[in-house]
Amino acid sequence: MSAIRLSICIPTYNFGPFIGETLESIVPQATDEVEVVVVDGASTDNTKEVVRSFQARLPNLSYHRLEKKGGIDHDLARTVALAGGDFCWFLSSDDVLAPGAIARVLNELISRHAVYLCTRTECDRSLKPFRVQRWLADDVHDRTFTFGDPGAFIDYFRQARSVGALFSYISSIIVDRARWDRVPFADELEGSNYAHVARLFTILQQGGTLRYIDEPLVLCRGENDSFASQEIENRFLIDFRGYELLAEHLFSDRPLREAFLAVMQREHKWYLFAGLRSHLSWTAWLEFERMLRLHGYARWKLVIIRFAGALRPLMAIARSFYRLRRKVMIWAGALVRSTGRRFRS
């Protein structure tokens, strides 16, 4: 065992305006057992200067600038390769750790499970929280999962409420570095943005245990997706194509593969695609619909999507309602926190 128990691995690219808050959340929690590894995919902003400004306050912080941007699959793998800890906690460079998160994780690591998965608090772009997002069903709390047969995986997939349970959200993942190193990088998944998911599930298939921590240890900065500049259909396609590739790579058993892909239905509600249908060409929609069928969306739902998508005024109203609903959620979350503080005082 190394002197470092936990490496916080942060791949980044042009997140200079945010990575300071990420590192600031680590400073008061870091111990001599914790290191921070930042891999910069050749940022063109002030990321380097921001990270360097924290090195006096985080003695175990190392900064590595790459010659060119490698993409999240390559850069995340690189952070782990440069890490020296027994365990690696992946962290996006615009998210922040909740107070007490490192202490909780260090305590959990005593049990030395292969993979740990915590929940998160969803926030707006300015990090104002509005809800806690759990990856598994409400009746699943702190729990250890052992995957001795396909049935155990299927049971786990059926309890999943989001692809966050399938490791789509990197900031909630901690992994045993030695086990990670024993699984080779899947070259065929490079560029999918989910190559790390294949390694994690391979670890579980090889007998590794998964510890689910039903506590939001990370604050997720919303409205700041790295792919936000792309068209919305391309953002959906990243998920659908990525998990289609993962299913083919990981699972030869058809029921297991179908249960894995079906989790996407809980991540992306079917009725949200009507707005997408309203501005896609027919050819593009047919390709998108093919992936929806592959992921288990019922045909009757696709018929409704086709019909509703043709009603553009209805879609405009629906989009306005969705934006209003999100604002109300943020406002309600702020009200609950404010009321709680007054009550405690």
Side-chain angles (χ1 to χ4, degrees), residues 9 90 111 114 125 149 152 184 233 303 321 323 332:
C9 298
F90 308 151
S111 59
R125 187 179 174 86
D149 56 67
E233 60 265 28
V303 171
F321 175 79
R323 288 193 291 267

Side-chain angles (χ1 to χ4, degrees), residues 45-306:
D45 65 359
N46 66 335
T47 294
K48 178 179 179 179
E49 289 73 24
V50 174
V51 176
R52 293 294 193 196
S53 71
F54 278 86
Q55 291 195 299
R57 300 166 65 196
L58 284 169
N60 288 339
L61 167 64
S62 61
Y63 172 78
H64 308 269
R65 179 180 169 84
L66 305 180
E67 293 184 359
K68 63 180 180 178
K69 182 181 179 182
I72 187 61
D73 295 317
H74 175 272
D75 292 356
L76 180 60
R78 184 64 177 155
T79 62
V80 180
L82 291 166
D86 298 317
F87 289 85
C88 292
W89 187 346
F90 308 151
L91 185 61
S92 293
S93 57
D94 60 340
D95 294 337
V96 304
L97 298 185
I102 290 179
R104 171 70 193 269
V105 166
L106 288 174
N107 185 62
E108 289 281 353
L109 296 184
I110 295 172
S111 59
R112 298 196 66 82
H113 294 291
V115 182
Y116 295 81
L117 182 69
C118 67
T119 60
R120 73 180 184 183
T121 298
E122 285 192 285
C123 307
D124 65 9
R125 187 179 174 86
S126 63
L127 282 178
K128 293 179 181 177
F130 61 89
R131 72 165 178 171
V132 171
Q133 185 174 24
R134 294 180 169 84
W135 307 128
L136 300 179
D138 288 340
D139 60 348
V140 181
H141 302 294
D142 291 357
R143 181 172 166 184
T144 300
F145 292 88
T146 302
F147 302 97
D149 56 67
F153 276 110
I154 290 175
D155 288 343
Y156 177 78
F157 297 152
R158 287 174 177 168
Q159 295 178 80
R161 300 170 59 178
S162 157
V163 290
L166 310 184
F167 308 125
S168 68
Y169 176 62
I170 68 168
S171 296
S172 66
I173 302 164
I174 302 102
V175 63
D176 182 314
R177 185 170 60 88
R179 286 178 176 268
W180 170 276
D181 287 343
R182 289 198 291 267
V183 178
F185 183 89
D187 291 330
E188 64 271 29
L189 292 171
E190 184 169 4
S192 69
N193 301 296
Y194 292 121
H196 69 281
V197 177
R199 294 179 88 160
L200 294 166
F201 270 107
T202 300
I203 290 170
L204 300 181
Q205 289 173 327
Q206 293 175 348
T209 52
L210 168 64
R211 177 66 174 171
Y212 179 64
I213 304 172
D214 186 29
E215 181 180 350
L217 301 182
V218 181
L219 279 71
C220 173
R221 189 188 302 271
E223 304 167 358
N224 198 43
D225 194 302
S226 299
F227 311 100
S229 61
Q230 303 182 22
E231 294 292 333
I232 184 63
E233 60 265 28
N234 290 332
R235 184 62 189 91
F236 283 131
L237 287 172
I238 288 170
D239 280 351
F240 285 113
R241 287 175 175 162
Y243 276 85
E244 180 180 354
L245 289 171
L246 286 166
E248 294 172 357
H249 178 82
L250 290 166
F251 307 116
S252 58
D253 181 80
R254 182 174 178 178
L256 183 53
R257 188 167 60 248
E258 289 178 348
F260 175 78
L261 291 173
V263 179
M264 194 67 70
Q265 299 176 52
R266 285 156 252 161
E267 176 71 25
H268 299 307
K269 304 301 184 184
W270 66 275
Y271 46 81
L272 298 178
F273 298 124
L276 184 60
R277 171 65 193 98
S278 69
H279 71 269
L280 280 183
S281 70
W282 182 244
T283 301
W285 172 254
L286 288 179
E287 170 59 17
F288 192 80
E289 193 175 274
R290 180 196 69 79
M291 283 185 288
L292 293 180
R293 290 197 301 271
L294 178 71
H295 286 78
Y297 289 84
R299 289 183 180 274
W300 67 267
K301 295 178 179 178
L302 300 182
V303 171
I304 294 175
I305 291 171
R306 286 188 187 185

